[in-house]
Amino acid sequence: MSGDGATEQAAEYVPEKVKKAEKKLEENPYDLDAWSILIREAQNQPIDKARKTYERLVAQFPSSGRFWKLYIEAEVNILFYFSYIASDGNCSIHYSGRKQVRNIDSTTRTRRI
């Protein structure tokens, strides 16, 4: 068995609790206990793997601000990470028409531009 095959198997591993949650959702797509399991699993995954779960979640509960917030936070976290890497320690945050520049290493200092 080559190392690549082992890597592919590990990448495809799905915990038993996730399989059970998926089965519960087939029976009842509004089962919040099953969704909680999937959300926790998604929060521990990279966004490119978790995005499908978040998309299904907000499609099932389109008016739930709480679920939209979880999805948005997951997307924003990856943006902050890449911004941090690209800017050599400084992260640009945009909202409300203002730009704030915050040094991630010392978050106590924020400049408004």
Side-chain angles (χ1 to χ4, degrees):
M1 177 183 263
S2 70
D4 292 331
T7 304
E8 287 177 23
Q9 267 187 331
E12 295 173 11
Y13 172 74
V14 178
E16 192 63 33
K17 64 183 177 183
V18 172
K19 292 178 186 177
K20 288 179 182 179
E22 290 286 1
K23 187 170 181 160
K24 281 184 173 182
L25 289 176
E26 287 176 13
E27 297 168 10
N28 177 9
Y30 297 98
D31 186 332
L32 291 177
D33 291 332
W35 277 113
S36 293
I37 291 168
L38 294 182
I39 291 167
R40 271 185 260 129
E41 185 66 23
Q43 289 173 327
N44 293 322
Q45 298 292 324
I47 190 61
D48 58 329
K49 293 183 181 183
R51 192 174 283 125
K52 183 178 176 184
T53 301
Y54 287 117
E55 289 288 335
R56 287 177 48 211
L57 178 67
V58 296
Q60 189 65 41
F61 302 99
S63 61
S64 173
R66 176 177 168 244
F67 294 150
W68 276 102
K69 182 177 183 268
L70 289 173
Y71 183 19
I72 292 166
E73 285 174 344
E75 291 284 358
V76 168
N77 283 339
I78 194 67
L79 291 175
F80 283 155
Y81 174 76
F82 284 123
S83 244
Y84 176 73
I85 298 294
S87 64
D88 209 19
N90 290 321
C91 179
S92 296
I93 304 169
H94 301 272
Y95 63 92
S96 301
R98 292 186 178 170
K99 179 179 178 184
Q100 286 192 350
V101 179
R102 178 174 292 170
N103 185 326
I104 298 293
D105 296 328
S106 60
T107 57
T108 56
R109 296 180 59 198
T110 301
R111 285 189 333 229
R112 287 196 181 183
I113 298 174

